[in-house]
Amino acid sequence: MSIFLILAFLFAIGSFLGWVLEVIYRHFASKKWINPGFLVGPWLPIYGFSLCVLYLLTLIESYIPTENKIVQKIILFVIMAIVITCIEYIAGLIFIKKMKIKLWDYTDRPGNIKGIICPLFSFYWLLLSAAYYFLIHPHILDMLQWLSNNLAFSFCIGLYFGIFAVDLAYSFKIIFHIKRFAEEKQIVIRLEEFKSNIQENNKKKGEKFRFLFSYRSSMPIREHLEQYTDSSSFKKRLKSIHAHIKERNDTKK
């Protein structure tokens, strides 16, 4: 079984399962149905990439210098959690610095760093790493062997990545529109908050609720952005950020 086929399968499964997990978590956290991430379809690439990394990290288990199997696994799960936290930090930082978009926000969480990572979610990644190790990893090769013996498998994987590529191109086109607006205003857009704003505007206009294609609307994307930045919640947060920056600068003096 080629490593490419394994990683392609893991990326597809991880992206979808991660999306399902985030949808459920956000619904319980905000009582709203929100399509997470910047893509319109049911997938989160960061989870797919992370699952591939978890698979590769299992290969180092035998090199962990301890004879105690329990300690060995605990160390492995800690390493996995640290690596996924680093992936989360890098991905979040790239979108903030390069795209002027915040995909998630841990600002209200204790010990957070730039609102991108925090100890609580690093602990969640440790738990998910353990769940992957015990529930998914032992069955990966068996699943792949069964799927590879079916001709439809290659077609389904190809179809998945074909649709994913189209979604990626479409979504990045919208993201670049948001980026230009954010650069003009010298702000950072909270993507999920912005999506909620689009849903509210569509509801007021009597348009149907769109869960997957949450960017679609009869109103141009720039008008939605203007309304979003004019909202009282956005202005309040912006004022709080400016006050924090001023306080930090005064402290340095």
Side-chain angles (χ1 to χ4, degrees):
M1 186 68 60
S2 70
I3 189 69
F4 175 78
L5 184 59
I6 293 173
L7 295 179
F9 174 75
L10 287 176
F11 182 86
I13 293 298
S15 296
F16 176 71
L17 292 181
W19 179 85
V20 171
L21 185 66
E22 289 288 340
V23 167
I24 295 171
Y25 174 81
R26 279 163 169 71
H27 178 66
F28 280 103
S30 64
K31 306 302 179 184
K32 294 181 180 179
W33 290 109
I34 300 173
N35 183 11
F38 69 98
L39 297 170
V40 300
W43 31 56
L44 285 174
I46 190 170
Y47 276 89
F49 183 71
S50 295
L51 195 61
C52 292
V53 170
L54 290 182
Y55 172 79
L56 295 174
L57 285 175
T58 58
L59 302 178
I60 71 169
E61 182 180 4
S62 59
Y63 296 99
I64 297 175
T66 177
E67 297 297 325
N68 190 309
K69 294 299 182 181
I70 295 176
V71 173
Q72 191 178 62
K73 285 177 174 50
I74 291 173
I75 292 173
L76 177 65
F77 299 154
V78 169
I79 292 172
M80 287 175 166
I82 291 172
V83 172
I84 294 178
T85 299
C86 291
I87 292 172
E88 185 180 32
Y89 182 77
I90 293 169
L93 198 62
I94 288 173
F95 267 85
I96 291 173
K97 296 295 184 181
K98 299 298 183 181
M99 300 297 178
K100 303 300 179 185
I101 290 172
K102 206 164 194 177
L103 296 176
W104 58 84
D105 192 5
Y106 301 150
T107 303
D108 60 338
R109 304 286 182 179
N112 77 85
I113 299 177
K114 297 182 180 180
I116 303 174
I117 58 174
C118 69
L120 177 61
F121 276 80
S122 292
F123 177 67
Y124 288 161
W125 304 145
L126 187 147
L127 296 180
L128 287 174
S129 297
Y132 161 79
Y133 182 90
F134 291 113
L135 301 178
I136 300 176
H137 187 71
H139 308 291
I140 286 175
L141 292 181
D142 289 338
M143 287 189 293
L144 283 170
Q145 189 63 49
W146 182 87
L147 291 169
S148 63
N149 289 332
N150 292 270
L151 294 177
F153 175 58
S154 297
F155 172 77
C156 289
I157 287 292
L159 180 64
Y160 172 91
F161 281 100
I163 297 173
F164 177 80
V166 172
D167 189 345
L168 202 64
Y170 171 78
S171 299
F172 263 113
K173 183 179 178 181
I174 295 171
I175 291 300
F176 282 122
H177 281 297
I178 298 173
K179 176 179 180 288
R180 283 197 295 269
F181 179 87
E183 286 176 339
E184 288 175 17
K185 303 290 184 179
Q186 296 185 334
I187 56 174
V188 173
I189 303 293
R190 287 186 180 183
L191 193 61
E192 287 189 8
E193 196 174 68
F194 175 56
K195 284 183 177 182
S196 294
N197 186 263
I198 293 176
Q199 289 179 3
E200 290 173 9
N201 289 338
N202 288 346
K203 187 177 180 180
K204 291 176 183 177
K205 289 178 171 291
E207 297 184 26
K208 67 178 182 179
F209 173 75
R210 292 185 176 92
F211 178 62
L212 291 179
F213 292 89
S214 47
Y215 298 115
R216 291 190 64 183
S217 173
S218 59
M219 185 188 299
I221 195 78
R222 188 175 182 88
E223 287 187 35
H224 281 294
L225 286 164
E226 293 284 1
Q227 288 195 14
Y228 166 70
T229 52
D230 283 339
S231 66
S232 57
S233 60
F234 178 84
K235 289 180 178 180
K236 182 180 179 180
R237 187 172 68 254
L238 196 62
K239 184 178 179 180
S240 175
I241 292 172
H242 288 160
H244 177 72
I245 294 173
K246 184 178 183 300
E247 182 182 346
R248 187 175 60 186
N249 292 337
D250 291 341
T251 303
K252 288 182 179 180
K253 292 178 182 178

